[in-house]
Amino acid sequence: MHHRKWIAAAVIAATAALQLQTTGAALAATVCNRYCDGRDPALSPGDRVPVSTALYGRTFKVHVDDTDAMIWASVENGQPGDQVWLDRSFDGGRTWNGDSRLGDTSIPAGAAGWRTAMYNVDDWNARGVGVLRACGKAGDRPELACTAWSRSTWNAWDRRTAAATALMMRYDRGTGLFDSNGWWTGANALTALIDTSRITGMHSYDYAIAGTYDKQINAAQGQFRNDYLDDSGWWGLAWVAAYDRTGESRYLSTARADADHMHAYWDTARCGGGVYWNTGGTAKNAITNSLYIQLNAALSQRIGGDTVYRGRAQAGWAWFRGSGMINSSNLVNDGINLSTCRNNGDVTWTYNQGVLINALVQLNKLTGDADALAVARRVGDAATSSTYLNVSGILHEPNEPDQCSGDGVSFKGAFVRGLGVLNAVAGRPYDAYLRRQADSAYGKDRNTFDAYGSHWAGPYLGTNHSCQHSVLDLMNAAP
Protein backbone atom coordinates (compact mmCIF):
# COMPACT_ATOMS: atom_id res chain seq x y z
CA MET A 1 0.00 0.00 0.00
CA HIS A 2 1.25 3.49 -0.91
CA HIS A 3 1.07 5.89 2.06
CA ARG A 4 0.93 9.67 1.78
CA LYS A 5 1.34 12.49 4.28
CA TRP A 6 -0.19 15.27 2.20
CA ILE A 7 -3.08 17.19 3.75
CA ALA A 8 -6.50 16.94 2.14
CA ALA A 9 -6.71 20.65 1.35
CA ALA A 10 -3.86 20.28 -1.14
CA VAL A 11 -5.35 17.48 -3.23
CA ILE A 12 -7.13 19.69 -5.77
CA ALA A 13 -4.01 21.79 -6.27
CA ALA A 14 -2.01 18.61 -6.86
CA THR A 15 -3.80 17.86 -10.11
CA ALA A 16 -2.99 21.26 -11.55
CA ALA A 17 0.61 21.04 -10.38
CA LEU A 18 1.00 17.59 -11.94
CA GLN A 19 -0.28 18.92 -15.26
CA LEU A 20 2.24 21.73 -15.14
CA GLN A 21 5.06 19.31 -14.27
CA THR A 22 4.20 16.98 -17.14
CA THR A 23 4.13 19.88 -19.58
CA GLY A 24 7.46 21.17 -18.29
CA ALA A 25 9.08 17.75 -18.51
CA ALA A 26 8.21 17.57 -22.21
CA LEU A 27 10.66 20.40 -22.81
CA ALA A 28 13.40 17.97 -21.82
CA ALA A 29 13.57 14.50 -23.37
CA THR A 30 10.54 12.66 -22.03
CA VAL A 31 11.46 9.04 -21.33
CA CYS A 32 8.86 6.32 -21.81
CA ASN A 33 9.38 2.75 -20.64
CA ARG A 34 6.50 0.84 -19.01
CA TYR A 35 5.10 4.31 -18.29
CA CYS A 36 6.16 7.78 -19.40
CA ASP A 37 7.77 10.46 -17.26
CA GLY A 38 5.21 12.49 -15.33
CA ARG A 39 3.22 9.63 -13.77
CA ASP A 40 1.28 10.32 -10.55
CA PRO A 41 3.05 8.82 -7.49
CA ALA A 42 -0.37 7.84 -6.11
CA LEU A 43 -0.32 5.07 -8.73
CA SER A 44 2.95 3.59 -7.48
CA PRO A 45 2.63 0.07 -6.04
CA GLY A 46 5.56 0.68 -3.70
CA ASP A 47 7.50 3.40 -1.92
CA ARG A 48 11.11 2.75 -0.92
CA VAL A 49 13.15 5.68 0.45
CA PRO A 50 16.88 4.89 0.06
CA VAL A 51 18.30 8.38 0.57
CA SER A 52 17.31 11.73 2.03
CA THR A 53 18.87 15.02 3.05
CA ALA A 54 17.91 17.99 5.20
CA LEU A 55 18.18 21.75 4.85
CA TYR A 56 16.84 24.36 7.28
CA GLY A 57 14.57 21.79 8.90
CA ARG A 58 13.13 20.58 5.60
CA THR A 59 13.65 16.94 4.57
CA PHE A 60 14.09 16.05 0.91
CA LYS A 61 13.61 12.39 -0.01
CA VAL A 62 14.00 10.06 -2.96
CA HIS A 63 11.06 7.65 -3.36
CA VAL A 64 11.56 4.54 -5.51
CA ASP A 65 8.91 2.48 -7.29
CA ASP A 66 10.99 -0.66 -7.92
CA THR A 67 8.16 -2.40 -9.77
CA ASP A 68 7.98 0.23 -12.49
CA ALA A 69 11.59 1.51 -12.16
CA MET A 70 10.49 5.08 -11.50
CA ILE A 71 11.40 7.68 -8.87
CA TRP A 72 9.81 10.76 -7.38
CA ALA A 73 11.03 13.37 -4.89
CA SER A 74 9.34 14.89 -1.85
CA VAL A 75 9.84 17.69 0.63
CA GLU A 76 8.54 17.38 4.20
CA ASN A 77 8.40 19.69 7.24
CA GLY A 78 8.40 22.64 4.88
CA GLN A 79 6.44 25.80 4.19
CA PRO A 80 4.49 27.05 1.16
CA GLY A 81 6.91 28.14 -1.55
CA ASP A 82 9.61 25.57 -0.74
CA GLN A 83 10.82 23.86 -3.94
CA VAL A 84 11.59 20.22 -4.75
CA TRP A 85 12.72 18.55 -8.00
CA LEU A 86 14.74 15.67 -9.47
CA ASP A 87 18.00 15.52 -11.39
CA ARG A 88 18.59 12.51 -13.65
CA SER A 89 21.98 11.34 -14.90
CA PHE A 90 22.86 8.68 -17.45
CA ASP A 91 26.57 8.58 -16.61
CA GLY A 92 26.63 7.76 -12.93
CA GLY A 93 26.03 11.26 -11.64
CA ARG A 94 28.83 12.96 -13.55
CA THR A 95 26.49 15.10 -15.69
CA TRP A 96 22.76 15.71 -15.89
CA ASN A 97 22.45 18.24 -18.67
CA GLY A 98 18.93 18.29 -20.09
CA ASP A 99 17.68 16.22 -17.18
CA SER A 100 17.92 18.75 -14.37
CA ARG A 101 15.03 20.11 -12.31
CA LEU A 102 12.65 17.43 -13.50
CA GLY A 103 9.19 17.93 -12.03
CA ASP A 104 10.22 21.19 -10.34
CA THR A 105 7.36 22.13 -8.03
CA SER A 106 6.64 24.11 -4.87
CA ILE A 107 4.67 23.44 -1.71
CA PRO A 108 1.22 25.01 -2.23
CA ALA A 109 -0.62 27.24 0.22
CA GLY A 110 -1.91 25.43 3.26
CA ALA A 111 0.48 22.48 2.99
CA ALA A 112 3.69 21.48 4.75
CA GLY A 113 4.94 19.00 2.18
CA TRP A 114 4.81 18.24 -1.51
CA ARG A 115 6.16 15.93 -4.17
CA THR A 116 7.12 15.75 -7.82
CA ALA A 117 5.67 13.44 -10.43
CA MET A 118 7.46 10.14 -11.12
CA TYR A 119 10.31 9.87 -13.63
CA ASN A 120 11.92 6.84 -15.23
CA VAL A 121 15.30 5.73 -13.92
CA ASP A 122 16.54 4.20 -17.18
CA ASP A 123 15.89 5.04 -20.83
CA TRP A 124 15.41 1.55 -22.24
CA ASN A 125 14.96 2.74 -25.82
CA ALA A 126 18.24 4.69 -25.86
CA ARG A 127 20.06 2.22 -23.56
CA GLY A 128 20.58 4.94 -20.98
CA VAL A 129 21.40 3.54 -17.53
CA GLY A 130 20.32 6.09 -14.98
CA VAL A 131 20.45 7.42 -11.45
CA LEU A 132 18.35 10.18 -9.91
CA ARG A 133 18.53 12.44 -6.90
CA ALA A 134 16.11 14.73 -5.08
CA CYS A 135 16.99 18.39 -4.71
CA GLY A 136 15.26 21.35 -3.15
CA LYS A 137 15.42 24.65 -1.35
CA ALA A 138 13.58 26.73 1.18
CA GLY A 139 11.42 29.30 -0.50
CA ASP A 140 13.02 32.20 1.36
CA ARG A 141 16.68 31.14 1.13
CA PRO A 142 19.09 30.69 -1.82
CA GLU A 143 20.90 27.52 -0.71
CA LEU A 144 20.16 24.17 -2.40
CA ALA A 145 20.40 20.65 -1.00
CA CYS A 146 20.53 17.38 -2.97
CA THR A 147 20.43 13.78 -1.82
CA ALA A 148 22.91 11.17 -2.96
CA TRP A 149 22.17 9.56 -6.32
CA SER A 150 19.96 6.47 -6.29
CA ARG A 151 18.20 4.04 -8.63
CA SER A 152 15.66 1.24 -8.68
CA THR A 153 16.48 -2.45 -8.36
CA TRP A 154 15.81 -2.95 -12.06
CA ASN A 155 18.89 -4.87 -13.35
CA ALA A 156 20.31 -4.38 -9.85
CA TRP A 157 18.66 -7.03 -7.72
CA ASP A 158 21.83 -8.41 -6.10
CA ARG A 159 25.50 -7.52 -5.66
CA ARG A 160 26.55 -8.78 -9.09
CA THR A 161 23.78 -7.25 -11.18
CA ALA A 162 23.94 -3.95 -9.28
CA ALA A 163 27.70 -3.71 -9.84
CA ALA A 164 27.26 -4.55 -13.53
CA THR A 165 24.60 -1.87 -13.89
CA ALA A 166 26.85 0.72 -12.26
CA LEU A 167 29.64 -0.35 -14.65
CA MET A 168 27.33 0.25 -17.62
CA MET A 169 26.93 3.83 -16.46
CA ARG A 170 30.57 4.20 -17.55
CA TYR A 171 29.96 2.69 -21.01
CA ASP A 172 30.30 5.18 -23.84
CA ARG A 173 27.72 4.22 -26.46
CA GLY A 174 29.51 6.39 -29.00
CA THR A 175 32.91 4.72 -28.78
CA GLY A 176 32.00 1.30 -27.41
CA LEU A 177 34.61 1.80 -24.69
CA PHE A 178 34.33 2.69 -21.01
CA ASP A 179 34.98 6.20 -19.73
CA SER A 180 35.65 7.03 -23.41
CA ASN A 181 39.23 5.81 -23.44
CA GLY A 182 39.75 2.53 -21.57
CA TRP A 183 41.58 0.22 -23.99
CA TRP A 184 42.95 -2.91 -22.30
CA THR A 185 40.98 -2.04 -19.19
CA GLY A 186 37.91 -1.91 -21.42
CA ALA A 187 38.63 -5.49 -22.47
CA ASN A 188 38.60 -6.44 -18.80
CA ALA A 189 35.37 -4.55 -18.18
CA LEU A 190 33.69 -6.28 -21.11
CA THR A 191 34.95 -9.67 -19.90
CA ALA A 192 33.53 -9.02 -16.42
CA LEU A 193 30.15 -8.06 -17.90
CA ILE A 194 30.05 -11.21 -20.03
CA ASP A 195 30.88 -13.29 -16.95
CA THR A 196 28.01 -11.64 -15.07
CA SER A 197 25.65 -12.35 -17.95
CA ARG A 198 26.64 -16.01 -17.86
CA ILE A 199 26.42 -16.36 -14.08
CA THR A 200 23.22 -14.39 -13.37
CA GLY A 201 21.27 -14.83 -16.60
CA MET A 202 20.90 -11.04 -16.90
CA HIS A 203 21.46 -10.37 -20.59
CA SER A 204 20.35 -6.72 -20.65
CA TYR A 205 23.86 -5.47 -21.42
CA ASP A 206 24.88 -8.07 -23.98
CA TYR A 207 24.47 -5.30 -26.55
CA ALA A 208 27.86 -4.00 -25.39
CA ILE A 209 29.56 -7.01 -26.99
CA ALA A 210 28.64 -6.11 -30.57
CA GLY A 211 28.69 -2.40 -29.69
CA THR A 212 32.36 -2.53 -28.73
CA TYR A 213 33.34 -4.90 -31.51
CA ASP A 214 31.69 -2.96 -34.33
CA LYS A 215 32.99 0.43 -33.20
CA GLN A 216 36.58 -0.62 -32.48
CA ILE A 217 37.35 -3.49 -34.87
CA ASN A 218 39.30 -1.19 -37.18
CA ALA A 219 41.09 0.80 -34.46
CA ALA A 220 44.90 0.76 -34.18
CA GLN A 221 46.17 -2.20 -36.25
CA GLY A 222 42.72 -3.72 -36.60
CA GLN A 223 41.30 -6.85 -34.92
CA PHE A 224 42.09 -5.29 -31.52
CA ARG A 225 45.84 -5.44 -32.13
CA ASN A 226 48.34 -2.71 -31.30
CA ASP A 227 51.97 -2.31 -30.32
CA TYR A 228 51.44 -3.80 -26.83
CA LEU A 229 51.14 -7.56 -26.89
CA ASP A 230 49.49 -7.77 -23.48
CA ASP A 231 46.69 -5.52 -24.78
CA SER A 232 46.13 -8.00 -27.60
CA GLY A 233 46.01 -10.80 -25.03
CA TRP A 234 43.34 -9.07 -22.94
CA TRP A 235 41.20 -8.41 -25.99
CA GLY A 236 41.70 -11.92 -27.31
CA LEU A 237 40.35 -13.32 -24.05
CA ALA A 238 37.41 -10.90 -24.13
CA TRP A 239 36.49 -12.17 -27.60
CA VAL A 240 36.79 -15.79 -26.47
CA ALA A 241 34.24 -14.94 -23.75
CA ALA A 242 32.09 -13.16 -26.35
CA TYR A 243 32.23 -16.23 -28.59
CA ASP A 244 31.17 -18.46 -25.70
CA ARG A 245 28.29 -16.12 -24.91
CA THR A 246 26.99 -15.60 -28.47
CA GLY A 247 28.36 -18.42 -30.63
CA GLU A 248 29.35 -15.84 -33.27
CA SER A 249 32.42 -17.05 -35.17
CA ARG A 250 33.70 -13.53 -35.85
CA TYR A 251 34.65 -13.18 -32.19
CA LEU A 252 36.66 -16.40 -32.23
CA SER A 253 38.36 -15.28 -35.46
CA THR A 254 39.44 -12.05 -33.79
CA ALA A 255 40.71 -13.93 -30.74
CA ARG A 256 42.82 -16.05 -33.10
CA ALA A 257 44.14 -12.92 -34.83
CA ASP A 258 45.16 -11.55 -31.44
CA ALA A 259 46.92 -14.78 -30.46
CA ASP A 260 48.72 -14.91 -33.82
CA HIS A 261 49.79 -11.29 -33.37
CA MET A 262 51.29 -12.18 -29.99
CA HIS A 263 53.02 -15.24 -31.44
CA ALA A 264 54.73 -13.07 -34.07
CA TYR A 265 56.71 -11.58 -31.16
CA TRP A 266 57.69 -14.88 -29.56
CA ASP A 267 61.48 -14.82 -29.59
CA THR A 268 64.05 -17.50 -28.75
CA ALA A 269 67.14 -15.43 -29.52
CA ARG A 270 67.08 -13.63 -26.17
CA CYS A 271 66.61 -15.74 -23.06
CA GLY A 272 65.43 -18.77 -24.99
CA GLY A 273 61.83 -17.82 -25.59
CA GLY A 274 58.94 -15.72 -24.39
CA VAL A 275 56.74 -13.06 -25.95
CA TYR A 276 57.91 -9.47 -25.84
CA TRP A 277 55.82 -6.91 -23.99
CA ASN A 278 55.71 -4.64 -27.05
CA THR A 279 56.56 -4.76 -30.72
CA GLY A 280 59.74 -2.79 -30.00
CA GLY A 281 61.15 -5.77 -28.12
CA THR A 282 62.07 -3.82 -24.98
CA ALA A 283 60.94 -6.29 -22.29
CA LYS A 284 59.68 -9.79 -21.55
CA ASN A 285 57.32 -9.83 -18.61
CA ALA A 286 55.00 -12.08 -16.69
CA ILE A 287 51.68 -10.56 -17.68
CA THR A 288 52.20 -10.84 -21.44
CA ASN A 289 53.40 -14.41 -21.24
CA SER A 290 50.67 -15.50 -18.84
CA LEU A 291 48.08 -14.04 -21.20
CA TYR A 292 49.79 -15.83 -24.10
CA ILE A 293 49.48 -19.19 -22.34
CA GLN A 294 45.88 -18.56 -21.30
CA LEU A 295 44.70 -17.32 -24.71
CA ASN A 296 46.34 -20.13 -26.65
CA ALA A 297 45.01 -22.78 -24.25
CA ALA A 298 41.51 -21.27 -24.44
CA LEU A 299 41.57 -21.21 -28.23
CA SER A 300 42.77 -24.80 -28.49
CA GLN A 301 39.84 -25.93 -26.34
CA ARG A 302 37.44 -24.33 -28.83
CA ILE A 303 39.04 -25.31 -32.17
CA GLY A 304 38.44 -28.92 -33.13
CA GLY A 305 41.58 -30.86 -34.03
CA ASP A 306 43.89 -27.98 -33.14
CA THR A 307 47.54 -28.66 -32.48
CA VAL A 308 49.00 -25.20 -33.21
CA TYR A 309 47.55 -23.23 -30.28
CA ARG A 310 47.99 -26.21 -27.98
CA GLY A 311 51.69 -26.34 -28.83
CA ARG A 312 52.07 -22.61 -28.25
CA ALA A 313 50.40 -22.81 -24.84
CA GLN A 314 52.65 -25.68 -23.79
CA ALA A 315 55.79 -23.97 -25.07
CA GLY A 316 54.75 -20.77 -23.29
CA TRP A 317 54.43 -22.54 -19.97
CA ALA A 318 57.67 -24.50 -20.39
CA TRP A 319 59.52 -21.25 -20.95
CA PHE A 320 57.69 -19.37 -18.16
CA ARG A 321 58.38 -22.15 -15.67
CA GLY A 322 62.09 -22.07 -16.46
CA SER A 323 62.32 -18.27 -16.42
CA GLY A 324 62.42 -17.98 -12.63
CA MET A 325 59.62 -15.38 -12.57
CA ILE A 326 57.89 -17.48 -9.90
CA ASN A 327 60.00 -16.63 -6.88
CA SER A 328 60.90 -18.69 -3.82
CA SER A 329 57.74 -17.45 -2.06
CA ASN A 330 55.60 -18.80 -4.93
CA LEU A 331 54.67 -15.28 -6.02
CA VAL A 332 55.16 -14.02 -9.57
CA ASN A 333 57.44 -11.04 -10.09
CA ASP A 334 56.85 -8.63 -12.93
CA GLY A 335 59.38 -9.89 -15.49
CA ILE A 336 62.90 -10.94 -16.36
CA ASN A 337 66.07 -8.97 -16.82
CA LEU A 338 66.99 -9.32 -20.51
CA SER A 339 70.69 -9.03 -19.67
CA THR A 340 70.76 -11.87 -17.14
CA CYS A 341 67.62 -13.77 -18.29
CA ARG A 342 66.64 -14.05 -14.63
CA ASN A 343 63.79 -12.79 -12.45
CA ASN A 344 64.07 -9.00 -12.30
CA GLY A 345 62.80 -8.88 -8.71
CA ASP A 346 60.18 -6.28 -9.65
CA VAL A 347 56.82 -5.92 -7.92
CA THR A 348 54.53 -8.93 -7.43
CA TRP A 349 51.44 -7.17 -8.79
CA THR A 350 48.19 -8.99 -8.03
CA TYR A 351 47.32 -9.52 -11.69
CA ASN A 352 50.61 -11.33 -12.27
CA GLN A 353 49.36 -13.95 -9.82
CA GLY A 354 45.81 -14.17 -11.11
CA VAL A 355 46.49 -14.36 -14.84
CA LEU A 356 49.12 -17.09 -14.44
CA ILE A 357 46.67 -19.02 -12.24
CA ASN A 358 43.99 -18.68 -14.92
CA ALA A 359 46.46 -19.71 -17.64
CA LEU A 360 47.49 -22.82 -15.75
CA VAL A 361 43.88 -23.86 -15.13
CA GLN A 362 43.19 -23.53 -18.87
CA LEU A 363 46.33 -25.51 -19.68
CA ASN A 364 45.26 -28.23 -17.25
CA LYS A 365 41.79 -28.37 -18.83
CA LEU A 366 43.39 -28.68 -22.26
CA THR A 367 46.16 -31.20 -21.57
CA GLY A 368 45.45 -32.73 -18.18
CA ASP A 369 48.82 -31.43 -16.93
CA ALA A 370 48.45 -32.02 -13.19
CA ASP A 371 51.66 -30.16 -12.43
CA ALA A 372 50.22 -26.99 -13.99
CA LEU A 373 47.27 -27.17 -11.60
CA ALA A 374 49.59 -27.84 -8.67
CA VAL A 375 51.62 -24.72 -9.47
CA ALA A 376 48.39 -22.71 -9.77
CA ARG A 377 47.44 -23.87 -6.27
CA ARG A 378 50.81 -22.89 -4.85
CA VAL A 379 50.57 -19.40 -6.37
CA GLY A 380 46.95 -19.07 -5.22
CA ASP A 381 47.83 -20.08 -1.67
CA ALA A 382 50.80 -17.71 -1.60
CA ALA A 383 48.85 -14.77 -2.99
CA THR A 384 45.88 -15.16 -0.65
CA SER A 385 48.09 -15.54 2.43
CA SER A 386 50.63 -12.84 1.57
CA THR A 387 50.55 -9.99 4.07
CA TYR A 388 52.19 -7.80 1.42
CA LEU A 389 49.20 -8.26 -0.91
CA ASN A 390 46.58 -8.55 1.85
CA VAL A 391 46.52 -5.87 4.50
CA SER A 392 44.56 -7.13 7.51
CA GLY A 393 43.18 -9.87 5.29
CA ILE A 394 41.86 -7.59 2.52
CA LEU A 395 43.49 -7.53 -0.92
CA HIS A 396 45.48 -4.34 -1.46
CA GLU A 397 47.41 -3.64 -4.63
CA PRO A 398 50.99 -2.41 -4.11
CA ASN A 399 50.89 1.39 -4.48
CA GLU A 400 47.09 1.31 -4.60
CA PRO A 401 45.83 4.87 -5.24
CA ASP A 402 43.03 6.60 -3.36
CA GLN A 403 41.39 7.70 -6.58
CA CYS A 404 40.48 5.36 -9.42
CA SER A 405 43.11 6.24 -12.00
CA GLY A 406 45.96 4.57 -13.85
CA ASP A 407 46.34 0.97 -14.97
CA GLY A 408 46.78 -0.58 -11.54
CA VAL A 409 43.17 -0.32 -10.39
CA SER A 410 42.28 -3.05 -12.90
CA PHE A 411 44.82 -5.49 -11.50
CA LYS A 412 42.80 -6.87 -8.58
CA GLY A 413 39.95 -7.72 -10.92
CA ALA A 414 42.20 -9.91 -13.05
CA PHE A 415 43.54 -11.53 -9.88
CA VAL A 416 40.18 -12.53 -8.41
CA ARG A 417 38.92 -13.63 -11.83
CA GLY A 418 41.79 -16.10 -12.05
CA LEU A 419 41.42 -17.15 -8.43
CA GLY A 420 37.72 -17.76 -8.99
CA VAL A 421 38.46 -20.01 -11.96
CA LEU A 422 40.91 -22.01 -9.85
CA ASN A 423 38.48 -22.11 -6.93
CA ALA A 424 35.81 -23.68 -9.13
CA VAL A 425 38.01 -26.57 -10.30
CA ALA A 426 39.95 -27.22 -7.07
CA GLY A 427 37.10 -27.95 -4.66
CA ARG A 428 36.43 -24.32 -3.64
CA PRO A 429 39.35 -23.82 -1.22
CA TYR A 430 39.15 -20.04 -1.62
CA ASP A 431 35.46 -19.54 -0.81
CA ALA A 432 36.14 -17.95 2.57
CA TYR A 433 38.82 -15.66 1.14
CA LEU A 434 36.64 -14.49 -1.74
CA ARG A 435 33.62 -14.01 0.52
CA ARG A 436 35.69 -11.90 2.91
CA GLN A 437 36.83 -9.64 0.07
CA ALA A 438 33.32 -9.28 -1.32
CA ASP A 439 31.76 -8.53 2.06
CA SER A 440 34.39 -5.90 2.81
CA ALA A 441 33.99 -4.14 -0.54
CA TYR A 442 30.20 -4.24 -0.30
CA GLY A 443 30.17 -2.92 3.25
CA LYS A 444 32.97 -0.35 3.09
CA ASP A 445 33.76 0.64 -0.52
CA ARG A 446 30.39 1.28 -2.16
CA ASN A 447 28.21 4.30 -2.89
CA THR A 448 24.41 4.55 -2.96
CA PHE A 449 24.02 2.93 -6.41
CA ASP A 450 26.70 0.21 -6.08
CA ALA A 451 29.65 1.96 -7.65
CA TYR A 452 32.93 0.94 -6.03
CA GLY A 453 36.31 2.53 -5.39
CA SER A 454 39.87 1.26 -5.26
CA HIS A 455 40.11 0.32 -1.55
CA TRP A 456 38.19 -2.86 -0.81
CA ALA A 457 38.83 -2.22 2.87
CA GLY A 458 37.27 1.23 2.45
CA PRO A 459 36.59 4.04 2.41
CA TYR A 460 34.81 4.75 -0.88
CA LEU A 461 36.53 7.71 -2.54
CA GLY A 462 35.27 7.62 -6.13
CA THR A 463 35.02 5.23 -9.04
CA ASN A 464 35.86 4.56 -12.68
CA HIS A 465 35.35 1.59 -14.99
CA SER A 466 38.58 -0.08 -13.84
CA CYS A 467 37.72 0.01 -10.14
CA GLN A 468 34.18 -1.03 -11.02
CA HIS A 469 35.04 -4.01 -13.19
CA SER A 470 37.51 -5.19 -10.55
CA VAL A 471 34.74 -5.42 -7.97
CA LEU A 472 32.39 -6.94 -10.54
CA ASP A 473 35.06 -9.61 -11.14
CA LEU A 474 35.13 -10.11 -7.36
CA MET A 475 31.35 -10.47 -7.09
CA ASN A 476 31.39 -12.90 -10.00
CA ALA A 477 34.05 -15.03 -8.29
CA ALA A 478 32.67 -14.90 -4.76
CA PRO A 479 30.30 -17.69 -3.64
Side-chain angles (χ1 to χ4, degrees), residues 389-434:
L389 297 178
N390 299 274
V391 179
S392 300
I394 302 302
L395 191 67
H396 188 279
E397 192 69 46
N399 304 323
E400 184 173 280
D402 284 344
Q403 298 300 325
C404 290
S405 60
D407 287 348
V409 291
S410 273
F411 290 1
K412 291 191 297 188
F415 170 70
V416 290
R417 190 187 313 148
L419 190 70
V421 168
L422 175 60
N423 194 46
V425 302
R428 309 202 68 85
Y430 304 110
D431 270 3
Y433 176 86
L434 289 166

Side-chain angles (χ1 to χ4, degrees), residues 260-326:
D260 293 346
H261 179 55
M262 296 182 81
H263 180 68
Y265 294 91
W266 173 273
D267 164 68
T268 57
R270 299 178 77 183
C271 303
V275 175
Y276 282 113
W277 171 60
N278 60 10
T279 58
T282 59
K284 290 182 178 178
N285 60 10
I287 195 62
T288 309
N289 284 280
S290 295
L291 289 165
Y292 180 77
I293 299 163
Q294 186 185 344
L295 179 55
N296 280 289
L299 284 170
S300 188
Q301 291 176 55
R302 290 160 177 81
I303 299 170
D306 166 71
T307 56
V308 172
Y309 295 107
R310 178 188 177 104
R312 290 177 184 174
Q314 290 175 305
W317 171 229
W319 177 80
F320 195 112
R321 176 133 207 215
S323 71
M325 282 188 285
I326 303 174

Side-chain angles (χ1 to χ4, degrees), residues 213-226:
Y213 189 90
D214 292 340
K215 288 181 171 63
Q216 295 293 331
I217 186 63
N218 295 317
Q221 298 173 22
Q223 296 289 321
F224 295 85
R225 298 168 300 188
N226 66 3

Side-chain angles (χ1 to χ4, degrees), residues 125-437:
N125 295 310
R127 293 172 172 165
V129 183
V131 287
L132 289 94
R133 67 182 183 183
C135 297
K137 64 181 292 294
D140 59 349
R141 294 174 183 267
E143 295 88 351
L144 308 179
C146 291
T147 67
W149 295 96
S150 190
R151 64 168 286 114
S152 70
T153 56
W154 186 270
N155 283 346
W157 65 81
D158 63 8
R159 292 182 182 185
R160 290 175 178 133
T161 54
T165 290
L167 177 56
M168 284 304 294
M169 295 174 196
R170 319 293 301 192
Y171 185 70
D172 188 319
R173 287 165 286 167
T175 65
L177 298 174
F178 293 82
D179 292 333
S180 299
N181 59 0
W183 187 242
W184 74 268
T185 55
N188 277 273
L190 186 61
T191 301
L193 281 167
I194 294 170
D195 284 347
T196 304
S197 175
R198 171 179 53 80
I199 293 166
T200 68
M202 182 182 75
H203 304 316
S204 304
Y205 306 129
D206 286 359
Y207 65 81
I209 298 171
T212 298
Y213 189 90
D214 292 340
K215 288 181 171 63
Q216 295 293 331
I217 186 63
N218 295 317
Q221 298 173 22
Q223 296 289 321
F224 295 85
R225 298 168 300 188
N226 66 3
D227 289 339
Y228 295 93
L229 285 314
D230 54 342
D231 290 7
S232 298
W234 293 118
W235 278 114
L237 290 168
W239 299 124
V240 168
Y243 170 74
D244 288 349
R245 177 73 197 91
T246 67
E248 291 188 35
S249 60
R250 62 178 183 159
Y251 300 135
L252 194 64
S253 296
T254 291
R256 292 182 70 164
D258 292 331
D260 293 346
H261 179 55
M262 296 182 81
H263 180 68
Y265 294 91
W266 173 273
D267 164 68
T268 57
R270 299 178 77 183
C271 303
V275 175
Y276 282 113
W277 171 60
N278 60 10
T279 58
T282 59
K284 290 182 178 178
N285 60 10
I287 195 62
T288 309
N289 284 280
S290 295
L291 289 165
Y292 180 77
I293 299 163
Q294 186 185 344
L295 179 55
N296 280 289
L299 284 170
S300 188
Q301 291 176 55
R302 290 160 177 81
I303 299 170
D306 166 71
T307 56
V308 172
Y309 295 107
R310 178 188 177 104
R312 290 177 184 174
Q314 290 175 305
W317 171 229
W319 177 80
F320 195 112
R321 176 133 207 215
S323 71
M325 282 188 285
I326 303 174
N327 65 32
S328 59
S329 299
N330 288 310
L331 292 176
V332 183
N333 292 98
D334 195 52
I336 61 169
N337 182 316
L338 287 180
S339 298
T340 65
C341 296
R342 293 181 179 177
N343 187 324
N344 63 12
D346 208 339
V347 180
T348 54
W349 305 109
T350 60
Y351 78 157
N352 286 331
Q353 323 312 311
V355 179
L356 181 63
I357 287 169
N358 210 334
L360 294 179
V361 172
Q362 300 312 317
L363 188 64
N364 172 262
K365 286 182 178 181
L366 175 65
T367 68
D369 183 348
D371 182 63
L373 199 59
V375 175
R377 280 299 308 270
R378 288 200 292 272
V379 174
D381 290 350
T384 54
S385 61
S386 164
T387 55
Y388 176 65
L389 297 178
N390 299 274
V391 179
S392 300
I394 302 302
L395 191 67
H396 188 279
E397 192 69 46
N399 304 323
E400 184 173 280
D402 284 344
Q403 298 300 325
C404 290
S405 60
D407 287 348
V409 291
S410 273
F411 290 1
K412 291 191 297 188
F415 170 70
V416 290
R417 190 187 313 148
L419 190 70
V421 168
L422 175 60
N423 194 46
V425 302
R428 309 202 68 85
Y430 304 110
D431 270 3
Y433 176 86
L434 289 166
R435 188 180 289 115
R436 182 168 70 249
Q437 309 307 313

